[in-house]
Amino acid sequence: DDPGWDLVTEDFSYKGSLKEDGTIEGKGVMEFPDGSQLIGTFSDGDPHGQGKYVSADGSTIFGTYEHGDLTGQVTETNESGGLVYEGEYRDSRRHGKGKLWLEDGGYMEGEFRDGVFDGKENIYHYPSAAIGRITEGSFLLKGEWRQGDMASAVLYRGADEALYNGKRVVYAYDPSDSVRISSKPTLPDLYEQSLVVVGPSSVGS
């Protein structure tokens, strides 16, 4: 059916308020060739004010636009309506304090810079599945992330530092190379302890 667009271009179709000269101004809906939509308020052709971007799969980004750029508090949801990100934006990217929920059930909390997790007092919250049958307190990693990579973080159980063989556990960025997997292979891993089962070896001695 014809939706009765008020303006159609190669880049989008628009239904809503227009100035006398045809410039987009006021409330309206802008639809793009991939089926996604931007619903909200426009000024001089750009999103300006509250708006919601709805992708073709149903995921959304809701916040306030300033002359085309998302700025301030923003909420992102996935196609099922579940939270993906809640926090600050600048220039249409995650920037400032926020929380990012991951598919495994864990989430990141702290500072984002130019779209990536980056800050000296950031926290990774392990998903509940990672602690197996342990129910007393949740596990966290508190520390520094640089450009999305963990630089150094201490393992916590609740408010207290978690100990392993009587020592505090400090994780650091430790990429593998051609001769090793890790320089600290004995660090405890909550996923391995609760989710990975190692059976007896089938290799003969």
Side-chain angles (χ1 to χ4, degrees), residues 39-177:
I39 306 164
T41 305
F42 298 81
S43 178
D44 288 327
D46 293 323
H48 188 72
Q50 286 195 340
K52 181 169 71 171
Y53 174 80
V54 183
S55 67
D57 66 6
S59 56
T60 68
I61 302 175
F62 175 80
T64 301
Y65 288 84
E66 291 187 5
H67 303 291
D69 289 321
L70 267 174
T71 300
Q73 288 293 318
V74 170
T75 300
E76 301 178 28
T77 65
N78 59 27
E79 61 274 14
S80 302
L83 277 172
V84 173
Y85 176 80
E86 195 170 50
E88 296 175 315
Y89 257 57
R90 189 179 74 180
D91 297 332
S92 295
R93 290 189 289 184
R94 297 167 184 163
H95 191 95
K97 293 187 179 298
K99 292 182 180 180
L100 176 66
W101 282 265
L102 308 177
E103 292 185 0
D104 64 4
Y107 68 96
M108 319 291 280
E109 179 180 11
E111 289 285 338
F112 290 79
R113 289 189 175 89
D114 295 325
V116 297
F117 201 51
D118 187 310
K120 292 184 177 181
E121 297 182 358
N122 284 3
I123 303 173
Y124 167 68
H125 297 258
Y126 279 92
S128 57
I131 63 175
R133 298 180 180 178
I134 300 173
T135 58
E136 298 177 3
S138 56
F139 281 99
L140 321 167
L141 284 175
K142 294 183 180 181
E144 182 179 4
W145 271 256
R146 299 172 187 163
Q147 293 296 305
D149 292 321
M150 183 179 65
S152 179
V154 177
L155 180 66
Y156 281 76
R157 183 175 178 181
D160 301 318
E161 291 185 4
L163 301 181
Y164 184 69
N165 291 335
K167 298 180 180 179
R168 70 198 297 256
V169 181
V170 180
Y171 289 88
Y173 183 59
D174 187 25
S176 60
D177 56 32

